[in-house]
Amino acid sequence: MHELSITQSIVDAVCERAAGKRVRTVSVRVGMLTAVVPDSMRFCFDLTTAGTVAEGASLEIEQPPGTARCRACSEDFTLADLVLLCPCGSADVEITSGQELQIVSMRVG
């Protein structure tokens, strides 16, 4: 379960930035192509915040879809999974979104 180590890193960063203030909400962006399971991340968040200034905080997860651009036909398209294949049949594609994994914001106080 890689969600545990990812979530622990997020909690560590949030607690450090909170500088002792109570954390109420943490918002993260986790792209659909990261293979992170949101429910697992929420479960791990509750575990890793125990005993910290983020204990009891809510976790908001935004999941942008995977998108790509075909280098062969220049079409932009949505990726349903990690099969990197353009509708035109070309595998020469560039992922343009869906791999994000970032802390967007936090609310303290």
Side-chain angles (χ1 to χ4, degrees), residues 20-34:
K21 296 177 186 164
R22 193 97 181 124
V23 177
R24 303 291 179 199
T25 306
V26 176
S27 297
V28 296
R29 185 173 297 124
V30 182
M32 294 293 288
L33 302 178
T34 60

Side-chain angles (χ1 to χ4, degrees), residues 39-52:
D39 287 339
S40 295
M41 190 175 216
R42 284 186 184 89
F43 175 77
C44 293
F45 186 77
D46 290 339
L47 291 176
T48 57
T49 57
T52 72

Side-chain angles (χ1 to χ4, degrees), residues 39-85:
D39 287 339
S40 295
M41 190 175 216
R42 284 186 184 89
F43 175 77
C44 293
F45 186 77
D46 290 339
L47 291 176
T48 57
T49 57
T52 72
V53 295
E55 185 171 11
S58 63
L59 177 64
E60 298 172 349
I61 302 173
E62 176 190 345
Q63 283 194 284
T67 60
R69 180 169 187 81
C70 180
R71 291 184 183 109
C73 73
S74 300
E75 182 175 341
D76 293 312
F77 59 98
T78 300
L79 294 166
D81 51 35
L82 288 174
V83 177
L84 304 178
L85 193 62

